[in-house]
């Protein structure tokens, strides 16, 4: 039986259980590094007096998704093994993370944003590299990948819980915790399976970077509407990642990191059920529920406070599993069903990332910054409640647009 291209030969592959454990540890550390600082960065910045830069700080991720993942991830990975790229990027990234706490102050806030951008350009390609190493190492046992990837979510949860329990949710030392694990992951990467770089395709790197073949899929009306709505819904959702932590802190909740980890716990639950739900209900109901959940989440934040309505804050956070899995995981599955017959699944997934985590979240971070700029230096709960109505209404309108314009022609044709 032929093995997947670039996979490790069966004779060279360790026992399945050992390999699964090694790859699970990779995913755990990969997302621990990210989750340790990004969850409460907004709270940290507001606490030290640079809340006006939160929008810019959360814009670096979308920019890095475009620059790092496409240029470094797609081009460099053709010539350097994924394992060595992981070593290099995480060791350099760890060194940068160690210096970031010294930049979290009003005098060096602008420098913080620029250095954070440089770091994220190094980090974002490692997400794809970790997936590549896992999938190629598993070979024809790709059915184990969801289990392995779930440890990434567990790593994110563990990071939030540790930051919260240590009382560091509002401290610049979140970067130090992340730096230690980044260095550890860089060293651990020396031990990872040595999968081969992707073989160069006939098409040029430029065509791959700009997903030229995948853009032809937009000729299908249903897919074009999906990409449009995915981009639009990413605009209001960017405000959650940037401003949820200072909002939760303003309600009087002390363990902000641990509280926001509830969202990843719910994500983990729905992640395993998503393939079944997709087969059972199809793409449109799942995507629509995901969009509606974003509107409901923000509406809950708009009524939540530190008193009798504190339940709304916790429920809004816990909706993350529905918000994320029902839209983004289901959307990735749908993209695969459209792109795989054309042989451009990798490019199509890259294009989806470009529009959602790139264009949509970049716009959302900047629009969120403009809304936050209208708030007082130390926003009250009432100020936060007023701000959350904007993304709530926006998400609801996008859900309505999707309901009346999207038709899953692929499913209807099969019926």
């Amino acid at each position: 039986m032929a093995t997947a291209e670039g996979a490790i030969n069966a004779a060279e592959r360790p026992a399945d259980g050992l390999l699964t454990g090694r790859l699970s540890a990779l995913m755990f550390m990969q997302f621990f590094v990210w989750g340790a600082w990004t969850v409460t960065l907004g709270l940290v910045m507001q606490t030290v007096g640079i809340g006006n830069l939160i929008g810019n700080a959360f814009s670096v991720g979308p920019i890095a998704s475009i620059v790092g993942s496409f240029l470094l991830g797609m081009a460099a990975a053709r010539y350097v093994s994924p394992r060595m790229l992981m070593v290099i990027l995480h060791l350099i990234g760890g060194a940068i993370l160690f210096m970031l706490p010294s930049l979290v102050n009003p005098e060096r806030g602008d420098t913080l944003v620029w250095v954070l951008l440089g770091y994220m350009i190094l980090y974002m390609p490692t997400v794809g590299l970790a997936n590549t190493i896992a999938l190629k190492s598993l070979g024809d046992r790709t059915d184990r990948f969801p289990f392995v990837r779930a440890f990434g979510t567990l790593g994110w949860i563990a990071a939030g819980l540790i930051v919260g329990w240590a009382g560091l949710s509002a401290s610049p030392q979140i970067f130090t915790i992340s730096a230690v694990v980044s260095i550890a992951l860089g060293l651990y990467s020396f031990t990872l399976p040595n999968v081969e770089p992707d073989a160069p395709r006939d098409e040029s790197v430029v065509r791959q970077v700009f997903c030229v073949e995948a853009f032809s899929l937009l000729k299908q009306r249903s897919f074009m509407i999906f990409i449009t709505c995915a981009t639009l819904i990413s605009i209001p959702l960017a405000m959650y990642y940037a401003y949820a932590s200072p909002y939760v802190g303003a309600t009087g909740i002390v363990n902000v990191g641990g509280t926001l980890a509830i969202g990843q716990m719910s994500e983990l639950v729905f992640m395993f059920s998503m393939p079944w739900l997709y087969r059972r209900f199809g793409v449109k109901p799942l995507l629509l529920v995901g969009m509606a959940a974003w509107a409901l989440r923000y509406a809950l934040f708009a009524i939540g406070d530190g008193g009798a309505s504190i339940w709304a804050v916790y429920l809004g956070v816990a909706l993350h599993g529905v918000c994320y899995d029902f839209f983004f995981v289901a959307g990735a599955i749908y993209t695969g069903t459209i792109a795989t017959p054309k042989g451009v699944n990798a490019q199509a997934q890259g294009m989806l990332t470009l529009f959602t985590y790139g264009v949509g979240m970049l716009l959302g971070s900047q629009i969120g910054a403009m809304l936050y700029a209208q708030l007082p230096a130390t926003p009250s709960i009432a100020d936060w409640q007023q701000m959350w109505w904007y993304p709530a209404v926006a998400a609801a309108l996008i859900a309505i647009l999707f309901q009346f314009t999207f038709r899953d022609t692929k499913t209807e044709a099969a019926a």
Side-chain angles (χ1 to χ4, degrees):
M1 181 181 295
T3 59
E5 182 182 353
I8 300 173
N9 293 331
E12 301 174 359
R13 187 180 299 131
D16 282 349
L18 178 60
L19 176 63
T20 300
R22 292 168 62 195
L23 297 175
S24 298
L26 161 65
M27 289 295 180
F28 184 92
M29 288 189 282
Q30 175 69 40
F31 286 91
F32 187 106
V33 170
W34 195 1
W37 65 266
T38 195
V39 173
T40 63
L41 177 60
L43 175 61
V44 172
M45 296 180 71
Q46 180 178 274
T47 301
V48 302
I50 53 174
N52 61 306
L53 296 175
I54 293 175
N56 290 339
F58 279 88
S59 294
V60 303
I63 295 172
S65 293
I66 300 170
V67 177
S69 294
F70 288 94
L71 296 183
L72 183 58
M74 295 182 67
R78 290 156 57 106
Y79 308 106
V80 183
S81 72
R83 179 175 73 175
M84 286 311 301
L85 276 176
M86 288 286 287
V87 170
I88 295 168
L89 295 177
H90 275 296
L91 289 180
I92 296 175
I96 294 174
L97 286 168
F98 269 120
M99 65 176 288
L100 283 176
S102 65
L103 303 179
V104 187
N105 54 69
E107 293 75 25
R108 309 181 74 180
D110 289 329
T111 304
L112 168 68
V113 173
W114 284 107
V115 175
L116 193 59
L117 173 61
Y119 167 73
M120 287 300 285
I121 289 175
L122 297 177
Y123 176 84
M124 291 307 293
T126 65
V127 176
L129 290 169
N131 289 338
T132 296
I133 291 171
L135 288 167
K136 287 189 174 183
S137 298
L138 291 169
D140 55 3
R141 293 303 311 272
T142 54
D143 59 306
R144 290 180 178 264
F145 182 73
F147 176 82
V148 170
R149 175 57 183 82
F151 275 82
T153 302
L154 287 174
W156 188 289
I157 293 170
L161 293 176
I162 290 172
V163 167
W165 287 337
L168 298 176
S169 294
S171 169
Q173 295 309 314
I174 55 176
F175 289 114
T176 303
I177 295 176
S178 182
V180 171
V181 180
S182 181
I183 295 295
L185 178 52
L187 297 175
Y188 177 74
S189 295
F190 278 113
T191 72
L192 293 174
N194 189 25
V195 301
E196 295 298 320
D198 289 337
R201 296 167 58 107
D202 293 335
E203 60 184 346
S204 68
V205 174
V206 173
R207 289 180 64 87
Q208 292 185 57
V209 167
F210 290 100
C211 309
V212 172
E213 300 301 326
F215 271 93
S216 64
L217 299 175
L218 295 177
K219 295 177 182 177
Q220 301 180 44
R221 182 178 180 275
S222 60
F223 190 68
M224 181 186 69
I225 292 172
F226 163 68
I227 289 292
T228 300
C229 290
T231 304
L232 292 174
I233 201 68
S234 298
I235 296 174
L237 77 84
M239 292 184 62
Y240 174 78
Y241 294 107
Y243 298 104
S245 63
Y247 162 70
V248 171
T251 65
I253 295 174
V254 177
N255 188 349
V256 175
T259 298
L260 292 176
I262 295 172
Q264 274 62 49
M265 295 177 191
S266 69
E267 176 188 335
L268 195 61
V269 172
F270 285 104
M271 184 181 298
F272 287 110
S273 62
M274 190 50 55
W276 179 83
L277 290 171
Y278 189 93
R279 292 192 300 269
R280 176 66 178 83
F281 296 103
V283 62
K284 184 171 182 177
L286 297 186
L287 295 176
L288 190 60
V289 167
M291 291 180 176
W294 278 105
L296 176 59
R297 154 181 271 182
Y298 288 132
L300 288 168
F301 283 174
I303 65 173
D305 56 32
S309 297
I310 191 70
W311 62 269
V313 179
Y314 285 107
L315 181 57
V317 172
L319 275 174
H320 188 73
V322 180
C323 293
Y324 184 84
D325 289 338
F326 274 61
F327 191 84
F328 286 97
V329 176
I333 297 173
Y334 172 67
T335 299
T337 63
I338 297 296
T340 298
K342 305 288 186 180
V344 292
N345 189 29
Q347 279 199 22
Q349 298 293 347
M351 182 178 69
L352 178 61
T353 300
L354 170 66
F355 280 110
T356 54
Y357 287 96
V359 177
M361 293 197 69
L362 178 59
L363 289 173
S365 295
Q366 291 301 307
I367 293 172
M370 289 188 289
L371 292 174
Y372 181 83
Q374 306 303 312
L375 304 184
T378 305
S380 66
I381 283 296
D383 296 321
W384 282 113
Q385 289 174 331
Q386 182 178 3
M387 191 183 84
W388 289 123
W389 281 118
Y390 290 100
V393 172
L397 291 176
I398 295 165
I400 293 172
L401 173 67
F402 181 79
Q403 164 65 18
F404 288 104
T405 59
F406 179 83
R407 293 179 61 189
D408 184 13
T409 53
K410 186 179 181 68
T411 301
E412 291 176 1

